[in-house]
Amino acid sequence: MDFINAIILLLNYIFIPGLTYGSQLALGAIFVTLIYGILRFANFATGDMMSFGTMMTILFTWYFQSLGISLGVLPTALIALPFGIFFMILYMLTIDKFVFKYYRTQKSPPVQFAMVSIGVMFVTQAFVRIIIGPGDRRFFDGEKFIIKAREFKDMTGLNEGLALKSTQVITIFVTIVLVSLLFWFLNKTKTGKSMKAYSDNEDLALLSGIDPKKIVLVTWVIAGILATIGGALYGLDKSFKPFTYFNNMLPIFAAAIVGGIGNPFGAFLGGYVIAFSEILLTYAYKKFFMYILPESMEPEGLVQLLSTDYKFAVSFSILVIVLIYRPSGIFKGKVL
């Protein structure tokens, strides 16, 4: 019985949160790798673009709630999400037209693009904070649990309870569906294959009659969808605070590089690698060992490798190690 309690403990505090957080990071990492693979620059505005899309989703969520529109047991944000995506894409295309297009026309080096994206990051931060403010925002229609810890304990008679929120299930399900559709689009459609060809060899793609304007447009549209959905799922699962999305830029970039920059599938898996690494190394295992070890061997301390304050240090350390020993990432070579 104690062994089962130990397993439930890990499921509740490591496995389910790891899958949820990893799904959110995976979408952001695919955003980064898509922009890098096709438009050929590291977009440091990723976190704040996710913040902008989430902000628009929140504003429309509040609007629909004021009208009494809801989805019942599902969050109203799911209705608002298409509107958030639309305004996110509009914002990205505007930024591309008035900022990135000039440098793309001038054939500027990737480093210059990266510096420009930092400027876009600060401008986007300012927009978000002016419009919605810097504080925490909850836009979920109350906390909804598919199963509560107390209910699980009553059903099973175990000491440990398993809590599962609807936001966690929605996050994992939406991520799997969205990523599956993206991979199908890139590998099976004419436009997706054109994007891969453009990424592999721009000059040869242009000679083949591929329209670069269309490729850029489709890339930003896909990026807008990924940024808004990834940001909104993170906000639903936790809460919305603009600066949090800026902080998430480090684990997102770490996930993209661990998976192999330019490789969407690698970025997808990289999100889970980073998420589980952060959680596994900062979780206090005292209670787990109390279940599986004899009473005489029970630990006195928390049995925690790192404090949760050092969560982002885990991402940074993994990023550095990968860049030193395997800069091409887990999956060598580009697939875009």
Side-chain angles (χ1 to χ4, degrees), residues 35 39 41 49 89-105 113 120 212-213 216-217 220:
I35 297 297
L39 302 184
F41 73 95
M49 285 183 167
I89 293 172
L90 189 63
Y91 178 71
M92 283 184 165
L93 293 178
T94 302
I95 292 295
D96 183 69
K97 180 178 177 60
F98 291 104
V99 181
F100 293 123
K101 183 180 178 180
Y102 170 79
Y103 295 96
R104 193 164 54 247
T105 304
F113 267 104
V120 172
K213 293 182 180 179
V216 172
L217 174 65
W220 283 117

Side-chain angles (χ1 to χ4, degrees), residues 247-287:
N247 288 338
N248 283 343
M249 187 174 69
L250 176 58
I252 286 172
F253 266 82
I257 292 172
V258 164
I261 192 73
N263 188 321
F265 183 70
F268 173 71
L269 294 182
Y272 294 100
V273 170
I274 296 298
F276 277 102
S277 297
E278 288 186 0
I279 294 173
L280 286 168
L281 292 176
T282 58
Y283 179 68
Y285 290 92
K286 179 179 180 179
K287 199 171 184 181

